[in-house]
Amino acid sequence: MQPFLRSALCILAPWAGMLAAAEAAESAGTAAFTLSALPYAQEALEPYISARTMGFHYTKHHQAYVDNLNKLVAGTPWANGSTLEQVVRESAGKADQGPVFNNAAQSWNHGFFWKSMKPGGGGQPEGRLLEAINKSFGGVEKFKEAFLTAAVAQFGSGWVWLVQEGDSLNIVKTSNADTPLVHGQNALLTCDVWEHAYYLDYQNRRKDFVKAFLDHLVNWEFAASQLK
Amino acid sequence: MIGNDKTQVSESVHVLAPLPYAENAMEPVISARTIGFHYGKHHKGYVENLNKLAAGTEFAGMTLEKIVAATAGNPDKAAIFNNASQAWNHTFYWHSLSPKGGGEPPAALKQKIEAAFGTVDACKKELATAATTQFGSGWAWLALDGDKIKVVKTPNADSPLTKNLKPILTVDVWEHAYYLDYQNRRADYVAAVLDKLINWNFAAGNLRG
Ligand SMILES: [Fe+2]
Ligand SMILES: [Fe+2]
C-alpha cells in the first residue's frame, strides 16, 4: 500500500492504519509474537476449570491479545526481535502506549497463568519455597487465606499474584493488564480474576474459583522454579 | 436484642430497586440466566455491601447520589464508592433496557442526537466503539455535557455523575453482563443491545429535569 494512501485512510478512520499495519505484517509472513503453548490439554483442568472456559480463554482471549499486539507493533522497533518482557517493560506507564502495554502484558500474564496451574495441582509446596511461605505468611494455610482475600478484594478485572521481593514473599493484586513485571517484583504464581476466567463455571462466585485454584490446580513446582 | 433490631429497621437502608421487567423479558438478546445472576447476585451484592459499609458511618441515610459524590476520587473510601456507584449504575442500566427497546428515539431526543452526532446511527456507532474499547470492566454511556449529548466510557464503578455530566443511558460492559450469552464477543452483545433493547424513551425522559 502506498504511504500516502495509508495516511489518507488514517484520516478517514482511526482503525484503517491498524488494518494496514496488520496487512503489512501478514504479507511479510512474520508475526512478531506467537501464542505461547498451553502446557496441557484444554480439558485437563476439569472439573475445576471446564474445557469450554479454557477454550474461550486460551483460543479467544489470549489469542486476541497476541494478535492485537502484533498489529500494534507492526512497523515499530518492537517488531524486530524484542521479547514480550521487553515490550511490557518499555511500554509501561507511557500514556500513548496504553494499547501496546495492555496487549503485551495480557499476553505475558496469560502465559504465566497457564504455567501457574497443572492437572493434579494443589497440595503442598516443598523445600525453599515452603520455608519462604512459612516465613512470610506463617504457614501455607495462612498464605491461602491471604491470597483468597486479595483475589476477592480485587475490584473489577485483574490478577492476584504471589511475588518475591528481596528476601520476602508477598501477595499483590493488579488491575486489568497490570503486572508485577513492571513493579520490580519477581512473580512466582498468578490467578486470573477477570470474570472471563471463571464466569462460565462459577458465575459470580469468584471465591469458589480461586479456592479451587489453590486447592486443586496450583503448580508449586513452577512457583519454586521462579524463585531467585 | 429486639431494641437493636428496631433501630436497624428504622435506619434508612438501601433496598435493591425492583427490576422493571421479568428476568426473561430480554430474551433472546440477554438470557434469563444472565439477568438472574446479574440482578439477583451482582446488583444485590453491591446493595448489601453498601449497607454493611455505610452502617454507623456519616454515609448512613444518604442517597446513593450523595454517597457517590462524597466518596468519588477518595482512595480511602474506594469500597463504599464502588458499591454505591455500582448500585446506582445497575438500576440505571436496567432502565436503559426495555423489552420493546431499539428503534428510533422520540423526536426531541433524536434532534439532540442529530445535532451532536449527525445521525442516530453515528451515535450508536460511537457508543458501540466506546463499549468495545473500554479495557477491562466498565460502562459506556450517553450523557449530557451542559446541553450537548456525548459518549462517555468509565472503568469499573465509575460513572458520569463524578464528572459533572448527566447520564441519560448506559450499557454495562463488565464481562458478567454478557459472558454466559456471548463469551468473548462483547461487540455482538453491544450491537444486539443497541439494536433491540435500548430504551430511548428512558433516555428522552432523562433530558428533562
Ligand atoms: Fe484472562
Ligand atoms: Fe453489571
Side-chain angles (χ1 to χ4, degrees):
Chain A
M1 185 178 287
Q2 297 301 312
F4 75 87
L5 186 50
R6 189 186 291 182
S7 33
L9 279 172
C10 289
I11 292 162
L12 288 174
W15 39 261
M18 251 175 58
L19 287 185
E23 279 164 21
E26 272 164 32
S27 63
T30 51
F33 299 97
T34 53
L35 181 65
S36 59
L38 196 64
Y40 32 73
Q42 290 182 15
E43 70 275 12
L45 303 185
E46 292 198 336
Y48 308 107
I49 298 178
S50 68
R52 188 159 178 251
T53 291
M54 284 302 294
F56 284 112
H57 204 170
Y58 178 66
T59 72
K60 300 293 181 184
H61 294 277
H62 192 181
Q63 178 79 61
Y65 293 125
V66 174
D67 290 347
N68 288 337
L69 177 64
N70 280 324
K71 286 175 198 167
L72 290 162
V73 300
T76 76
W78 281 320
N80 300 326
S82 292
T83 64
L84 190 54
E85 287 85 346
Q86 282 169 331
V87 181
V88 172
R89 288 203 168 95
E90 290 164 14
S91 60
K94 298 204 172 107
D96 57 339
Q97 299 297 349
V100 170
F101 175 79
N102 285 340
N103 287 288
Q106 284 295 79
S107 298
W108 191 88
N109 293 346
H110 280 90
F112 198 85
F113 176 49
W114 309 136
K115 290 187 276 191
S116 295
M117 301 183 287
K118 65 169 191 177
Q124 295 288 315
E126 290 173 5
R128 199 177 140 220
L129 179 59
L130 177 61
E131 280 167 35
I133 285 177
N134 286 339
K135 189 166 157 243
S136 294
F137 303 103
V140 175
E141 285 312 306
K142 289 231 169 72
F143 155 76
K144 284 187 183 180
E145 268 171 44
F147 192 91
L148 203 53
T149 301
V152 172
Q154 170 53 41
F155 188 77
S157 304
W159 302 80
V160 58
W161 308 78
L162 173 63
V163 300
Q164 182 182 24
E165 285 179 283
D167 278 348
S168 68
L169 303 189
N170 288 313
I171 291 162
V172 294
K173 48 197 167 81
T174 61
S175 166
N176 290 340
D178 197 13
T179 176
L181 206 58
V182 299
H183 299 292
Q185 299 153 333
N186 179 41
L188 304 182
L189 272 182
T190 194
C191 183
D192 188 345
V193 294
W194 283 60
E195 287 172 323
H196 65 232
Y198 58 86
Y199 213 81
L200 296 177
D201 302 330
Y202 298 85
Q203 297 81 46
N204 60 302
R205 294 173 294 107
R206 182 191 288 184
K207 191 175 181 177
D208 291 352
F209 161 63
V210 180
K211 207 170 175 324
F213 168 88
L214 289 168
D215 290 343
H216 303 288
L217 300 176
V218 76
N219 185 344
W220 288 119
E221 290 80 15
F222 173 70
S225 76
Q226 298 306 107
L227 276 172
K228 279 183 181 158
Chain B
M1 302 297 280
I2 291 165
N4 265 357
D5 286 346
K6 263 191 176 160
T7 318
Q8 278 173 16
V9 169
S10 67
E11 199 172 292
S12 156
V13 292
H14 299 279
V15 292
L16 179 65
L19 196 64
Y21 32 74
E23 288 186 358
N24 64 1
M26 299 296 136
E27 292 198 334
V29 176
I30 302 175
S31 67
R33 188 160 177 252
T34 290
I35 302 268
F37 284 110
H38 202 171
Y39 177 69
K41 301 289 182 186
H42 293 277
H43 192 182
K44 184 162 182 269
Y46 294 125
V47 173
E48 289 176 351
N49 286 339
L50 172 64
N51 283 330
K52 279 182 209 157
L53 291 163
T57 74
E58 62 194 293
F59 304 108
M62 273 192 196
T63 63
L64 289 179
E65 288 88 343
K66 283 208 170 115
I67 298 173
V68 167
T71 56
N74 183 345
D76 294 338
K77 304 288 180 206
I80 195 162
F81 171 80
N82 286 338
N83 286 287
S85 193
Q86 285 293 80
W88 192 93
N89 292 349
H90 279 90
T91 301
F92 199 80
Y93 170 62
W94 305 130
H95 286 275
S96 294
L97 308 180
S98 161
K100 298 191 179 97
E104 287 284 296
L109 174 61
K110 192 175 175 193
Q111 218 167 34
K112 259 190 159 21
I113 286 175
E114 286 171 350
F117 302 95
T119 64
V120 172
D121 274 346
C123 171
K124 283 165 71 176
K125 206 169 167 188
E126 198 176 318
L127 188 56
T129 300
T132 49
T133 58
Q134 172 54 44
F135 188 77
S137 304
W139 301 81
W141 308 78
L142 286 183
L144 275 180
D145 185 0
D147 199 37
K148 197 180 176 205
I149 296 188
K150 64 196 276 191
V151 166
V152 183
K153 55 180 170 172
T154 60
N156 292 335
D158 202 8
S159 91
L161 292 177
T162 67
K163 302 165 205 321
N164 263 323
L165 302 172
K166 184 177 162 52
I168 62 172
L169 202 64
T170 196
V171 180
D172 188 344
V173 293
W174 282 58
E175 286 173 325
H176 64 230
Y178 58 86
Y179 212 81
L180 296 177
D181 301 331
Y182 297 86
Q183 296 82 44
N184 61 302
R185 295 174 291 106
R186 186 192 286 186
D188 291 353
Y189 153 74
V190 171
V193 163
L194 293 182
D195 284 343
K196 304 204 173 73
L197 300 181
I198 207 73
N199 187 347
W200 293 120
N201 289 329
F202 174 68
N206 289 322
L207 291 179
R208 302 181 289 271

Coordinates of all heavy atoms in Angstrom, one line a residue, chain B residues 136-182:
Chain B
G136 N -11.1 -3.9 30.1 CA -11.4 -4.4 31.4 C -12.9 -4.1 31.7 O -13.7 -4.0 30.8
S137 N -13.3 -4.0 33.0 CA -14.6 -3.8 33.4 C -15.0 -2.4 33.3 O -14.2 -1.5 33.5 CB -14.8 -4.3 34.8 OG -14.4 -5.6 34.9
G138 N -16.3 -2.1 33.0 CA -16.8 -0.7 33.0 C -18.1 -0.6 32.3 O -18.9 -1.5 32.2
W139 N -18.3 0.7 31.8 CA -19.6 1.1 31.3 C -19.4 2.0 30.1 O -18.5 2.8 30.1 CB -20.4 1.9 32.4 CG -20.6 1.1 33.7 CD1 -19.7 0.9 34.7 CD2 -21.8 0.4 34.1 NE1 -20.2 0.1 35.7 CE2 -21.5 -0.2 35.3 CE3 -23.0 0.2 33.5 CZ2 -22.5 -1.0 35.9 CZ3 -24.0 -0.5 34.1 CH2 -23.7 -1.2 35.3
A140 N -20.4 2.0 29.2 CA -20.5 3.0 28.1 C -21.8 3.8 28.3 O -22.8 3.2 28.7 CB -20.4 2.3 26.8
W141 N -21.7 5.1 28.1 CA -22.8 6.0 28.4 C -23.1 7.0 27.3 O -22.2 7.4 26.6 CB -22.5 6.8 29.7 CG -22.0 6.1 30.9 CD1 -20.7 5.6 31.1 CD2 -22.7 5.8 32.1 NE1 -20.7 5.0 32.3 CE2 -21.9 5.1 32.9 CE3 -24.1 6.1 32.4 CZ2 -22.3 4.7 34.2 CZ3 -24.5 5.6 33.7 CH2 -23.6 4.9 34.6
L142 N -24.4 7.4 27.3 CA -24.7 8.7 26.7 C -25.0 9.6 27.9 O -25.6 9.3 28.8 CB -26.0 8.6 25.8 CG -25.9 7.9 24.5 CD1 -27.2 8.0 23.7 CD2 -24.8 8.5 23.6
A143 N -24.4 10.8 27.8 CA -24.5 11.8 28.9 C -24.7 13.2 28.3 O -24.2 13.5 27.2 CB -23.3 11.7 29.8
L144 N -25.3 14.0 29.1 CA -25.4 15.4 28.8 C -24.3 16.2 29.4 O -24.0 16.2 30.6 CB -26.7 16.0 29.3 CG -28.0 15.8 28.5 CD1 -29.2 16.5 29.2 CD2 -27.8 16.4 27.1
D145 N -23.5 16.9 28.5 CA -22.5 17.8 29.0 C -23.1 19.2 28.7 O -23.0 19.7 27.6 CB -21.2 17.6 28.2 CG -20.1 18.4 28.7 OD1 -20.2 19.2 29.6 OD2 -19.0 18.3 28.1
G146 N -23.7 19.8 29.8 CA -24.4 21.0 29.5 C -25.6 20.7 28.7 O -26.5 19.9 29.1
D147 N -25.7 21.2 27.5 CA -26.9 20.9 26.6 C -26.5 19.9 25.5 O -27.4 19.5 24.7 CB -27.3 22.3 26.0 CG -28.7 22.2 25.5 OD1 -29.5 21.5 26.2 OD2 -29.0 22.7 24.4
K148 N -25.3 19.4 25.5 CA -24.9 18.6 24.4 C -24.8 17.1 24.8 O -24.2 16.8 25.9 CB -23.5 19.1 23.9 CG -23.2 18.6 22.5 CD -21.9 19.0 22.0 CE -21.6 18.3 20.7 NZ -20.2 18.2 20.3
I149 N -25.2 16.2 23.9 CA -25.1 14.8 24.2 C -23.7 14.3 23.8 O -23.3 14.7 22.7 CB -26.2 14.0 23.5 CG1 -27.6 14.4 24.0 CG2 -26.0 12.5 23.7 CD1 -28.7 13.5 23.4
K150 N -23.1 13.6 24.7 CA -21.8 13.0 24.3 C -21.7 11.5 24.8 O -22.5 11.1 25.6 CB -20.6 13.8 24.8 CG -20.5 13.9 26.3 CD -19.6 15.0 26.7 CE -18.1 14.6 26.7 NZ -17.3 15.6 27.3
V151 N -20.8 10.8 24.2 CA -20.5 9.4 24.5 C -19.4 9.4 25.6 O -18.4 10.1 25.4 CB -20.1 8.6 23.3 CG1 -19.5 7.2 23.7 CG2 -21.3 8.4 22.4
V152 N -19.5 8.6 26.6 CA -18.5 8.6 27.7 C -18.3 7.1 28.0 O -19.3 6.3 28.0 CB -19.0 9.3 29.0 CG1 -18.0 9.3 30.1 CG2 -19.5 10.7 28.7
K153 N -17.1 6.7 28.3 CA -16.9 5.4 28.9 C -16.2 5.5 30.2 O -15.4 6.4 30.4 CB -16.1 4.5 27.9 CG -14.8 5.0 27.5 CD -14.1 4.0 26.5 CE -12.9 4.6 25.9 NZ -12.0 3.6 25.1
T154 N -16.5 4.6 31.2 CA -16.0 4.7 32.5 C -15.5 3.3 32.9 O -16.1 2.3 32.6 CB -17.0 5.2 33.5 OG1 -18.1 4.3 33.6 CG2 -17.5 6.6 33.2
P155 N -14.4 3.3 33.7 CA -13.9 2.0 34.1 C -14.6 1.6 35.4 O -15.0 2.4 36.2 CB -12.4 2.2 34.4 CG -12.3 3.7 34.7 CD -13.4 4.4 34.0
N156 N -14.7 0.2 35.6 CA -15.1 -0.3 36.9 C -16.4 0.3 37.4 O -17.5 0.2 36.7 CB -14.0 -0.3 38.0 CG -12.9 -1.2 37.6 OD1 -13.1 -2.2 36.9 ND2 -11.7 -0.9 38.1
A157 N -16.5 1.0 38.5 CA -17.7 1.5 39.1 C -17.9 3.0 38.7 O -19.0 3.5 39.1 CB -17.7 1.4 40.6
D158 N -17.0 3.6 38.0 CA -17.1 5.0 37.8 C -18.3 5.3 36.9 O -18.8 4.5 36.2 CB -15.8 5.5 37.1 CG -15.6 7.0 37.3 OD1 -16.4 7.6 38.1 OD2 -14.7 7.5 36.7
S159 N -18.8 6.6 37.0 CA -19.9 7.0 36.2 C -19.8 8.5 35.8 O -19.0 9.2 36.4 CB -21.2 6.7 36.9 OG -21.6 7.9 37.7
P160 N -20.6 8.9 34.9 CA -20.6 10.3 34.5 C -20.9 11.3 35.7 O -20.6 12.4 35.7 CB -21.7 10.4 33.4 CG -21.8 9.1 32.9 CD -21.6 8.2 34.0
L161 N -21.6 10.7 36.7 CA -22.0 11.5 37.9 C -20.8 12.2 38.5 O -20.9 13.3 39.1 CB -22.7 10.7 38.9 CG -24.1 10.1 38.6 CD1 -24.5 9.3 39.8 CD2 -25.1 11.2 38.3
T162 N -19.6 11.5 38.4 CA -18.4 12.0 39.0 C -17.7 13.0 38.2 O -16.7 13.6 38.5 CB -17.4 10.9 39.4 OG1 -16.9 10.3 38.1 CG2 -18.1 9.8 40.2
K163 N -18.2 13.3 37.0 CA -17.6 14.2 36.0 C -18.5 15.4 35.7 O -18.3 16.0 34.7 CB -17.2 13.4 34.7 CG -16.3 12.3 35.0 CD -16.2 11.3 33.8 CE -15.9 9.9 34.2 NZ -14.9 9.8 35.3
N164 N -19.5 15.6 36.6 CA -20.4 16.7 36.3 C -21.2 16.6 35.0 O -21.5 17.5 34.3 CB -19.7 18.1 36.3 CG -19.8 18.7 37.6 OD1 -20.8 18.6 38.2 ND2 -18.7 19.4 38.0
L165 N -21.4 15.3 34.6 CA -22.2 15.0 33.4 C -23.5 14.4 33.9 O -23.5 13.7 34.9 CB -21.4 14.1 32.5 CG -20.1 14.6 32.0 CD1 -19.4 13.5 31.2 CD2 -20.2 15.8 31.1
K166 N -24.5 14.5 33.1 CA -25.8 13.9 33.5 C -26.0 12.7 32.6 O -26.2 12.8 31.4 CB -26.9 15.0 33.2 CG -28.3 14.5 33.6 CD -29.3 15.6 33.4 CE -30.8 15.0 33.4 NZ -31.1 14.2 34.5
P167 N -26.0 11.5 33.2 CA -26.2 10.3 32.5 C -27.6 10.2 31.8 O -28.6 10.6 32.5 CB -26.0 9.2 33.5 CG -25.5 9.8 34.7 CD -25.9 11.3 34.7
I168 N -27.7 9.8 30.6 CA -29.0 9.6 30.0 C -29.3 8.1 29.6 O -30.4 7.7 29.4 CB -29.4 10.6 28.9 CG1 -28.5 10.5 27.7 CG2 -29.4 12.0 29.4 CD1 -28.9 11.3 26.6
L169 N -28.2 7.3 29.5 CA -28.3 6.0 29.0 C -27.0 5.2 29.3 O -26.0 5.8 29.3 CB -28.5 6.0 27.5 CG -29.2 4.8 26.8 CD1 -30.6 4.7 27.3 CD2 -29.2 5.1 25.3
T170 N -27.1 3.9 29.6 CA -25.9 3.2 29.8 C -25.9 1.7 29.3 O -27.0 1.1 29.2 CB -25.4 3.2 31.3 OG1 -24.0 2.8 31.4 CG2 -26.2 2.2 32.2
V171 N -24.8 1.2 29.0 CA -24.6 -0.2 28.7 C -23.5 -0.7 29.6 O -22.4 -0.2 29.6 CB -24.2 -0.5 27.2 CG1 -24.1 -1.9 26.9 CG2 -25.3 0.2 26.3
D172 N -23.8 -1.8 30.4 CA -22.8 -2.4 31.2 C -21.9 -3.3 30.4 O -22.4 -4.2 29.6 CB -23.6 -3.3 32.2 CG -22.7 -3.9 33.4 OD1 -21.5 -3.9 33.2 OD2 -23.3 -4.4 34.4
V173 N -20.6 -3.1 30.5 CA -19.7 -3.9 29.7 C -18.7 -4.7 30.6 O -17.6 -5.1 30.2 CB -18.9 -3.2 28.6 CG1 -19.9 -2.7 27.5 CG2 -18.1 -2.0 29.1
W174 N -19.1 -4.8 31.9 CA -18.4 -5.8 32.7 C -18.7 -7.2 32.0 O -19.8 -7.4 31.5 CB -19.0 -5.9 34.1 CG -18.5 -4.8 35.0 CD1 -18.7 -3.4 34.8 CD2 -17.9 -4.9 36.3 NE1 -18.1 -2.7 35.9 CE2 -17.6 -3.6 36.8 CE3 -17.5 -6.0 37.1 CZ2 -17.0 -3.4 38.1 CZ3 -16.8 -5.8 38.3 CH2 -16.6 -4.5 38.8
E175 N -17.7 -8.1 32.1 CA -17.9 -9.4 31.4 C -19.1 -10.1 32.0 O -19.8 -10.9 31.3 CB -16.7 -10.2 31.6 CG -15.5 -9.7 30.6 CD -14.2 -10.4 30.8 OE1 -13.9 -10.8 32.0 OE2 -13.5 -10.6 29.9
H176 N -19.5 -9.9 33.3 CA -20.6 -10.6 33.8 C -22.0 -10.2 33.1 O -22.9 -11.0 33.2 CB -20.8 -10.4 35.3 CG -21.0 -9.0 35.8 ND1 -20.3 -8.4 36.8 CD2 -22.0 -8.1 35.4 CE1 -20.8 -7.1 37.0 NE2 -21.8 -7.0 36.1
A177 N -22.0 -9.1 32.4 CA -23.2 -8.7 31.7 C -23.5 -9.5 30.5 O -24.6 -9.6 30.0 CB -23.1 -7.2 31.3
Y178 N -22.4 -10.2 29.9 CA -22.7 -10.9 28.7 C -21.9 -12.2 28.5 O -22.1 -12.9 27.5 CB -22.2 -9.9 27.5 CG -20.8 -9.5 27.6 CD1 -19.8 -10.3 27.0 CD2 -20.4 -8.3 28.2 CE1 -18.4 -9.9 27.1 CE2 -19.1 -7.9 28.2 CZ -18.1 -8.7 27.7 OH -16.8 -8.3 27.7
Y179 N -21.1 -12.6 29.5 CA -20.3 -13.7 29.3 C -21.0 -15.1 29.1 O -20.7 -15.9 28.2 CB -19.2 -13.9 30.4 CG -17.9 -14.5 29.8 CD1 -17.0 -13.7 29.1 CD2 -17.7 -15.9 29.8 CE1 -15.9 -14.2 28.5 CE2 -16.6 -16.4 29.2 CZ -15.7 -15.6 28.5 OH -14.6 -16.1 27.9
L180 N -22.1 -15.3 29.8 CA -22.9 -16.5 29.7 C -23.5 -16.6 28.3 O -23.7 -17.7 27.7 CB -24.0 -16.6 30.7 CG -23.5 -16.7 32.2 CD1 -24.7 -16.7 33.1 CD2 -22.6 -18.0 32.4
D181 N -23.8 -15.5 27.7 CA -24.5 -15.4 26.4 C -23.6 -15.2 25.2 O -23.9 -15.7 24.1 CB -25.6 -14.3 26.4 CG -26.6 -14.5 27.5 OD1 -26.9 -15.7 27.9 OD2 -27.2 -13.5 28.0
Y182 N -22.6 -14.4 25.4 CA -21.7 -14.0 24.3 C -20.3 -14.4 24.4 O -19.5 -14.2 23.5 CB -21.9 -12.5 24.0 CG -23.3 -12.1 23.6 CD1 -24.2 -11.8 24.6 CD2 -23.7 -12.0 22.3 CE1 -25.5 -11.4 24.2 CE2 -24.9 -11.6 21.9 CZ -25.9 -11.4 22.9 OH -27.1 -11.0 22.5

